[in-house]
Amino acid sequence: MDLKPTHFIDKIIAEDVANGLEKVVTRFPPEPNGLLHIGSAYAINISYSMAKKYNGKFNLRFDDTNPVKEDIYYVNAIVEDMDWLGVDYGGQPLYGSDYFDQMYEYAVYLIKKGKAYVCDLSQDEIREYRGTLTEPGRESPYRSRSVEENLRLFEQMREGKFKEGEKVLRAKIDMANPNIVLRDPVLYRIIYTEHYRTGDKWCIYPMYDYAHPIQDYIEGITHSLCSNEFVNNRALYEWVLENLDLPGRLPRQIEFGRLNISGVVTSKRYLKQLVESGYLEGWDDPRLPTLQGMRRRGYTKEAIFAFLNEIGVPKTETTVDVEMLEHFVRQDLMEKAVCLMAVLDPIKVVITNFEPDRVEYLDADNNYKADLGTRKVPLTREIYIEREDFMENPPKGYNRLTIGGEVRMKHGYFLKCHDIVKDENGNIIELLCTYDPETKSGSGFAGRKVKGTIHWVSASHALRCVVRHYEPLFLAQPDQDSLLDAINPNSRQDLTACVIEPAILDFVDQGVTHFQFLRNGFYVVDNKLCSKDNLVFNRIVPLKSSFRLEKAD
């Protein structure tokens, strides 16, 4: 196995292994107050890939230290997403709430050591006393309480003797420290909300910055990998571990650059605002970058990981064009999606020299780049083609069907239009055509050639379906205040008159979910709305993009 480091975190871990580290242990610590998104997958991939590379261990641990915002719904959804990604986290997730007793004892230890005290300042007062980036903070008037008084008050906090916000436990560090995070941060607060796992056992809960390093230590995490937004918090992470005088190897926090994708928001606060607005269908709306939304949209885990691995692990914040992600989706689906013909805006064609009751079954490949077998496609006198594949007065260079013009029917014959039928308003409602029986595809016909090939569906065999097309959710990159105002009103378009080959039912019965609709794009069965009696498909990506993946020489 090639263990040559591929990025800066890999290099750090490789050095630790070379210096005697026996087992690499990493983790992903989601808070169960929202669903995973593409940014979460980015973080997961970094930590998980390092554990795999060095034959180590990877933990999924819920950082469930704030019962006000957490819910078992999010826990179950996150576990489902992790399983879908195929990430091996040892079979069972871990929970920070399992360590509440140990965290409490560690807090008592800090009080006895003179490193923590109970403070009566309100949240607003603590913020006011903290100071600014240019001015030092002021010490709390309660900072000089004795160890004995702090122990008594902290125990009373646990017993529920005080109101929420009446008291907190703070670390005693340095109110003049240049890093504001170290100006006596809060370690515990009072919350009278039942916890989804521990019930009403606790009414005091640890803050994230205090709980996180302890959770890492208990689990034997060697490298605690996180995004750059936590770089200032690293000092507190290290302070907690060092001042608890813990034996053995301590975890090491390392930060990496945050991932941004053009036109996409991954802030959990923004995502919640969008979901709660009622404009979207929920956390799994295909327009959202949540893993559940992306899965419903039809993105595959293989494409997601290929995209993430291409980005690598930068030290600084990175913004990537969303078309790069779509590029990897196309690449992945090219050889695994079943190719079918679906007409999204149908107009009827009558093949006047085709016998009225005749049905001819044509051979069609299920994929043009991989061997996925073949199917039979019924051809009848009446078919549907795309409305845009005919023009009465075409411009120069138009290669599709016109009066007197000829095209090839995919898998079938040459088709020539000789007349049209219009309604009372002058709209074309039917095309009258003839086919050339000597030009069947695959027959070795070597006569005249045509430039255009169009797809079609037999009118008598066609199945109705709904096709959903998606555009970017936002007209411009939004911020918190303009989030809903920036929504693109045409971000979803439902096409309700579409028709598709009858073979679709056989493939759906076989569990096939991803399709290429010829000349239209890649599509997926909507896992929430689709049934055999109500066929609904989401377009994953169009067939082509201007994006090109540039490889360095």
Side-chain angles (χ1 to χ4, degrees):
M1 181 179 180
D2 182 13
L3 292 182
K4 183 179 179 181
T6 58
H7 51 75
F8 76 100
I9 293 178
D10 196 352
K11 184 177 180 181
I12 292 171
I13 295 176
E15 291 175 352
D16 288 343
V17 171
N19 291 328
L21 177 62
E22 294 182 0
K23 189 168 188 176
V24 173
V25 185
T26 61
R27 85 293 170 266
F28 177 65
E31 298 175 76
N33 56 12
L35 266 64
L36 302 186
H37 49 72
I38 185 63
S40 309
Y42 172 65
I44 291 166
N45 188 50
I46 294 173
S47 291
Y48 184 53
S49 64
M50 289 296 91
K52 283 202 304 181
K53 180 171 183 176
Y54 292 94
N55 196 29
K57 186 173 183 289
F58 174 83
N59 289 351
L60 167 63
R61 179 187 68 235
F62 289 99
D63 187 47
D64 51 356
T65 56
N66 185 353
V68 174
K69 297 181 178 181
E70 296 155 1
D71 193 282
I72 190 65
Y73 164 77
Y74 297 120
V75 172
N76 293 335
I78 290 171
V79 169
E80 179 183 319
D81 285 344
M82 294 291 284
D83 291 342
W84 176 72
L85 286 173
V87 173
D88 179 7
Y89 50 87
Q92 292 293 330
L94 303 173
Y95 300 87
S97 53
D98 287 343
Y99 314 137
F100 279 168
D101 288 289
Q102 186 64 64
M103 291 181 202
Y104 179 83
E105 293 304 320
Y106 282 149
V108 170
Y109 181 85
L110 290 175
I111 293 173
K112 291 180 177 179
K113 192 177 177 181
K115 295 292 184 177
Y117 64 97
V118 174
C119 182
D120 296 4
L121 293 179
S122 67
Q123 186 175 353
D124 289 339
E125 289 171 330
I126 289 175
R127 189 179 301 111
E128 179 186 346
Y129 273 56
R130 187 172 291 138
T132 66
L133 292 172
T134 57
E135 297 181 357
R138 291 179 290 152
E139 292 186 355
S140 165
Y142 308 100
R143 198 174 193 266
S144 58
R145 278 175 166 155
S146 67
V147 169
E148 291 74 22
E149 184 179 9
N150 283 319
L151 288 172
R152 176 176 57 81
L153 291 173
F154 189 48
E155 178 64 25
Q156 290 177 340
M157 285 173 60
R158 179 180 181 176
E159 293 172 348
K161 300 292 180 64
F162 306 112
K163 299 176 182 178
E164 286 190 15
E166 190 173 348
K167 296 186 188 300
V168 295
L169 182 70
R170 298 176 66 181
K172 185 184 289 188
I173 306 179
D174 180 7
M175 291 303 296
N177 196 291
N179 185 348
I180 293 181
V181 172
L182 294 179
R183 294 180 185 177
D184 289 12
V186 174
L187 304 182
Y188 267 88
R189 74 284 210 202
I190 301 169
I191 300 177
Y192 291 108
T193 298
E194 191 167 290
H195 192 280
Y196 76 100
R197 294 190 74 245
T198 61
D200 59 1
K201 177 181 177 180
W202 296 90
C203 62
I204 57 171
Y205 291 91
M207 299 295 290
Y208 176 88
D209 283 336
Y210 170 71
H212 190 63
I214 293 175
Q215 293 165 358
D216 283 348
Y217 175 77
I218 291 173
E219 294 177 7
I221 302 301
T222 57
H223 301 86
S224 183
L225 311 180
C226 57
S227 61
N228 279 335
E229 61 191 294
F230 294 99
V231 66
N232 289 332
N233 301 63
R234 189 201 318 151
L236 181 54
Y237 183 98
E238 294 170 348
W239 183 92
V240 170
L241 294 174
E242 291 168 0
N243 281 276
L244 288 176
D245 302 316
L246 300 167
R249 189 185 191 279
L250 300 181
R252 179 180 181 181
Q253 177 174 307
I254 307 171
E255 304 86 18
F256 52 80
R258 181 184 176 91
L259 171 66
N260 298 308
I261 300 177
S262 63
V264 173
V265 297
T266 55
S267 162
K268 202 179 294 185
R269 183 173 66 254
Y270 286 7
L271 292 174
K272 275 190 173 183
Q273 188 178 347
L274 286 168
V275 171
E276 291 170 358
S277 72
Y279 180 81
L280 303 178
E281 298 177 55
W283 284 99
D284 63 350
D285 191 294
R287 289 165 287 185
L288 288 180
T290 58
L291 293 187
Q292 293 204 3
M294 295 174 76
R295 186 157 76 249
R296 187 175 169 196
R297 176 74 172 262
Y299 285 29
T300 63
K301 62 183 178 182
E302 292 84 3
I304 291 173
F305 280 124
F307 165 70
L308 296 174
N309 290 332
E310 182 65 31
I311 295 170
V313 185
K315 288 187 177 182
T316 57
E317 189 165 315
T318 300
T319 299
V320 179
D321 195 314
V322 69
E323 288 193 358
M324 181 177 175
L325 173 58
E326 294 175 349
H327 164 82
F328 283 101
V329 174
R330 287 187 193 89
Q331 291 294 105
D332 184 58
L333 293 178
M334 199 67 71
E335 297 187 11
K336 66 171 59 170
V338 169
C339 298
L340 288 176
M341 294 190 290
V343 178
L344 308 188
D345 184 16
I347 183 171
K348 182 180 286 187
V349 172
V350 178
I351 307 174
T352 57
N353 62 334
F354 201 96
E355 295 85 345
D357 297 326
R358 175 183 164 200
V359 180
E360 181 179 354
Y361 287 92
L362 305 172
D363 291 322
D365 291 324
N366 294 331
N367 188 285
Y368 303 108
K369 289 185 175 291
D371 184 9
L372 299 184
T374 61
R375 68 186 185 283
K376 297 291 185 180
V377 179
L379 173 62
T380 53
R381 177 181 175 89
E382 294 184 354
I383 63 172
Y384 291 116
I385 68 169
E386 295 285 0
R387 189 172 298 274
E388 67 175 22
D389 281 343
F390 174 84
M391 288 190 72
E392 186 177 9
N393 300 298
K396 185 178 180 180
Y398 184 78
N399 293 324
R400 284 171 273 179
L401 200 58
T402 63
I403 296 179
E406 198 168 30
V407 296
R408 173 174 286 285
M409 301 164 59
K410 185 68 176 176
H411 308 302
Y413 300 90
F414 283 14
L415 187 71
K416 187 174 184 178
C417 181
H418 56 80
D419 205 353
I420 57 177
V421 178
K422 295 184 178 181
D423 63 14
E424 63 273 12
N425 297 317
N427 299 312
I428 300 174
I429 58 173
E430 195 171 283
L431 308 178
L432 303 179
C433 300
T434 56
Y435 85 107
D436 184 344
E438 302 299 323
T439 57
K440 185 175 182 179
S441 291
S443 65
F445 172 72
R448 66 189 187 282
K449 295 183 179 180
V450 292
K451 292 184 177 180
T453 299
I454 64 173
H455 60 281
W456 53 276
V457 176
S458 163
S460 57
H461 294 77
L463 298 178
R464 294 284 175 179
C465 64
V466 174
V467 170
R468 291 173 152 198
H469 281 183
Y470 297 96
E471 299 295 335
L473 181 57
F474 300 105
L475 296 170
Q477 193 70 30
D479 55 35
Q480 186 175 8
D481 296 329
S482 69
L483 188 66
L484 300 182
D485 293 335
I487 287 179
N488 176 6
N490 297 315
S491 59
R492 192 190 88 199
Q493 299 173 6
D494 290 6
L495 310 180
T496 58
C498 310
V499 292
I500 193 169
E501 288 183 48
I504 185 66
L505 294 182
D506 295 329
F507 289 114
V508 170
D509 278 344
Q510 295 166 23
V512 177
T513 54
H514 290 70
F515 300 90
Q516 181 187 145
F517 292 172
L518 291 183
R519 300 173 59 227
N520 280 312
F522 291 101
Y523 293 78
V524 68
V525 171
D526 188 297
N527 60 20
K528 194 172 184 178
L529 301 176
C530 188
S531 68
K532 293 181 69 173
D533 298 322
N534 180 40
L535 295 170
V536 182
F537 300 94
N538 297 318
R539 184 165 71 177
I540 310 167
V541 286
L543 286 179
K544 296 181 180 179
S545 169
S546 60
F547 176 80
R548 291 293 181 270
L549 184 63
E550 300 293 339
K551 288 286 189 179
D553 294 334

